[in-house]
Amino acid sequence: MHTLRASLTSTTLTAVALLMPWSAPGCGDLDDSSAGSGVCPETTEPLPSCEDNGGCPGGETGALVGITEAHNRVRAAVEVPAGGVPLPELQWSDDLAAVAARWAEHLAERGCGLRHSSDCRYGENLAWFGGFEASPSQVVEEGWASEKLCYRYGAFLQGDECSADCNASGGCGHYTQMVWRDSREVGCAVTRCSDNSEVWVCNYAPVGNIVGQVPY
C-alpha cells in the first residue's frame, strides 16, 4: 500500500521553493483536483512507454543535465545498516521522463499549482521554484534531500520518524523515495510557467514509500 500526504510548504531565501510532499502519487482521474491524496492500491500493470506519452526525450537535456548524478550522490551518502550493501545507482529512464514531462505540462497548463498525478505505478517528487532558474543540485540535494536531517530510519510509516523540522513540507517522503533501495530508474522534467516560475517533476520505478517496508 502506498500513501500520500497532501500539504505544501514554501521556503523563502533569495527566492521561493515549493515542494509537494510524499512521492507515491494518489489515485484518481487525471483532471481531478483531489488527486494526490488517499491510498494507492497495489498494481502489476506495466509502466507506459515513452512512445505512449508524447515521444522519447532522449536522455537528460537542458536544465536536466546532471539530475541522475545528483540523485546518486544522495544515494551514495546513505549509511546503510551494519552489514548492508550500498544502494545501487539509479539509471535514467526516457519512459519515466516522458511521463514526468506529460505531468509537468499538465500542471503548467493549470497555473503551476502542485498536485500529484493519478498513476500509482511509480513514485513522484514535485517542486516549484519562483524567482530563479533552479539547478538539478538545488532541486535534489538542497531541496528534497534536505529532509534527511529530519529523518530517522525505520519501516515506512510503521517505525520511521520525521522530526517537526520537516512538518511544513509534509514529512520526509521526498528523501525516502530517492533512497528507496528497490527503485532503480528515474526520469524527470522541468517546465516554465507563464509567470516564469518552474515546475520540476521526477518519477521513480519501481515505486518506493511502501507502508511497512524499510527504504534500504
Side-chain angles (χ1 to χ4, degrees), residues 1-200:
M1 177 171 71
H2 317 301
T3 67
L4 177 71
R5 296 182 184 178
S7 60
L8 298 173
T9 181
S10 62
T11 302
T12 302
L13 298 172
T14 304
V16 177
L18 184 67
L19 306 180
M20 183 69 177
W22 295 106
S23 41
C27 293
D29 184 79
L30 186 68
D31 294 313
D32 181 359
S33 61
S34 66
S37 61
V39 178
C40 291
E42 298 292 345
T43 177
T44 58
E45 293 182 26
L47 286 170
S49 68
C50 53
E51 288 86 353
D52 297 329
N53 285 278
C56 302
E60 295 179 357
T61 59
L64 296 170
V65 173
I67 199 163
T68 306
E69 182 180 355
H71 276 83
N72 285 329
R73 285 194 296 267
V74 173
R75 289 170 72 89
V78 170
E79 297 180 3
V80 298
V85 177
L87 301 184
E89 290 192 342
L90 293 177
Q91 302 297 318
W92 176 265
S93 166
D94 283 342
D95 290 342
L96 289 176
V99 173
R102 177 171 174 257
W103 189 245
E105 297 269 344
H106 177 83
L107 294 177
E109 290 169 357
R110 287 156 178 78
C112 286
L114 294 190
R115 63 183 179 89
H116 279 291
S117 62
S118 57
D119 199 319
C120 301
R121 289 172 288 181
Y122 39 80
E124 184 175 87
N125 278 344
L126 305 177
W128 177 93
F129 292 87
F132 68 107
E133 294 182 6
S135 68
S137 180
Q138 288 172 315
V139 175
V140 173
E141 295 171 286
E142 298 177 26
W144 297 331
S146 66
E147 295 166 358
K148 179 179 182 178
L149 298 176
C150 304
Y151 178 68
R152 190 183 73 179
Y153 180 81
F156 187 71
L157 294 185
Q158 293 184 357
D160 61 354
E161 186 175 303
C162 191
S163 72
D165 291 338
C166 286
N167 281 351
S169 64
C172 299
H174 294 104
Y175 175 68
T176 54
Q177 171 58 82
M178 288 197 299
V179 299
W180 201 266
R181 177 180 293 279
D182 290 342
S183 293
R184 299 301 175 90
E185 295 183 315
V186 62
C188 304
V190 56
T191 296
R192 298 292 294 178
C193 305
S194 59
D195 61 358
N196 288 322
S197 62
E198 297 179 338
V199 169
W200 290 69

